[in-house]
Amino acid sequence: MEQEQNQQKLVPAVERAAGILDIIATAKRYLTVSELARETALPKSTVHNLCSTLVQLGLLIRRPDQTYLLGPHLLRWSNAFDRQTDVAAEFAALWDQRDIPHEAVVSLGIPEKGEVVFIAARQSAGGHRFPVRPGLRLPAPFVAAGQAVLAHASDYEVRRLFADGYPKPLTERSAGNLNELLARLADVRKHDYAIEEEQCQAGITNLGAAVLNSLNRPLAAVMISVPAELFSGKVREELAQVLLDITQSLSRRMGADLDSRRG
């Protein structure tokens, strides 16, 4: 009943405009007014007036063939949302509400020019073998947090990122060259998280998953680190579920549309 009352308070024109923006955002091709009218079940004249208004406001762009795509003003809102939402504060708040797995370190890193810069960390009483302090930098190809972010890029984008040189491997298990890295990223893309076993530090296994922003692009990554000898099949499943719960919660708080990604 309360939900129905809230829906009755919506301004119809605003609701219809938002619906048009949602349809255009998720469409696999550019749509005309007639197609938008069919999608929304609104009169063609109403859709035309709404689209014209959205074009004037910079929320839509009318293409020469009279189809529409999203306008640049939306990017301004997206950037403002990212600025006003502190992913580190959200990370801390989430972990203050739950227990950290035994002997684990949970960290938050942000991508920066082929590296991951860690900006926050939480650890259990026994999680001291892989100390993560704010400001720690690690090459993205060798750490699960970095691999999780890189997996969202195309192979072409990854090659461009390391066009000026590939970092020196950290351990004998690190991806030794770009082709080896791309093969590992292909495997990461089959899942929602990355696992790297002793590629960053001997004796440590890391799981990483990306935190997405309002454009469904990687904003940061969460990583869980545990001693390699404790990483059994059961532990893997438990840690992976904890990791995905956290990153999905963070992504939603950052404005990501996870349902559209699954579609």
Side-chain angles (χ1 to χ4, degrees):
M1 179 64 68
E2 181 179 354
Q3 183 178 1
E4 292 178 357
Q5 292 175 345
N6 289 337
Q7 289 178 344
Q8 291 172 359
K9 297 177 183 177
L10 296 178
V11 178
V14 176
E15 184 181 14
R16 292 167 180 171
I20 288 173
L21 291 172
D22 282 340
I23 291 171
I24 293 174
T26 57
K28 298 185 183 301
R29 59 185 179 82
Y30 302 126
L31 301 177
T32 64
V33 165
S34 296
E35 291 168 325
L36 288 168
R38 287 195 294 270
E39 289 284 338
T40 58
L42 293 172
K44 185 177 177 181
S45 59
T46 299
V47 174
H48 180 270
N49 290 335
L50 287 170
C51 288
S52 296
T53 300
L54 292 171
V55 167
Q56 292 183 45
L57 294 174
L59 299 173
L60 284 181
I61 293 174
R62 183 187 291 114
R63 303 176 72 244
D65 61 358
Q66 304 305 305
T67 58
Y68 293 88
L69 72 157
L70 296 180
H73 197 92
L74 293 169
L75 185 59
R76 185 185 306 172
W77 287 349
S78 174
N79 290 338
F81 183 87
D82 284 345
R83 289 195 305 270
Q84 295 170 15
T85 309
D86 189 336
V87 65
E90 296 292 344
F91 170 83
L94 283 173
W95 281 108
D96 287 345
Q97 299 168 11
R98 61 187 305 160
D99 294 330
I100 299 172
H102 181 61
E103 293 197 38
V105 176
V106 183
S107 53
L108 177 71
I110 56 175
E112 185 175 297
K113 297 180 180 179
E115 295 182 319
V116 175
V117 182
F118 291 91
I119 59 174
R122 293 287 188 274
Q123 66 180 46
S124 65
H128 55 79
R129 285 173 51 180
F130 186 64
V132 178
R133 297 180 178 85
L136 173 67
R137 290 176 176 267
L138 292 171
F142 311 138
V143 63
Q147 293 175 9
V149 170
L150 292 174
H152 283 264
S154 67
D155 285 1
Y156 173 75
E157 291 171 318
V158 175
R159 290 186 183 278
R160 283 191 59 188
L161 183 61
F162 298 104
D164 293 333
Y166 188 75
K168 181 180 179 181
L170 298 179
T171 75
E172 62 181 12
R173 303 189 69 171
S174 300
N177 55 57
L178 193 53
N179 288 333
E180 187 177 344
L181 171 65
L182 293 175
R184 294 187 181 187
L185 294 181
D187 186 61
V188 173
R189 293 185 187 110
K190 298 175 184 178
H191 309 87
D192 290 325
Y193 61 93
I195 296 178
E196 49 92 355
E197 300 183 66
E198 302 185 80
Q199 298 174 36
C200 176
Q201 177 177 312
I204 297 296
T205 293
N206 295 310
L207 293 83
V211 177
L212 306 181
N213 63 12
S214 55
L215 297 177
N216 278 5
R217 298 294 298 169
L219 169 70
V222 174
M223 189 168 75
I224 300 180
S225 308
V226 294
E229 66 270 15
L230 299 181
F231 194 68
S232 65
K234 181 179 180 181
V235 170
R236 169 179 173 163
E237 292 178 4
E238 292 175 351
L239 292 181
Q241 190 58 58
V242 169
L243 178 68
L244 292 176
D245 287 347
I246 290 296
T247 52
Q248 289 172 6
S249 294
L250 277 174
S251 294
R252 289 191 176 95
R253 294 190 185 194
M254 296 298 107
D257 184 358
L258 302 183
D259 292 333
S260 69
R261 290 187 67 245
R262 294 190 184 96

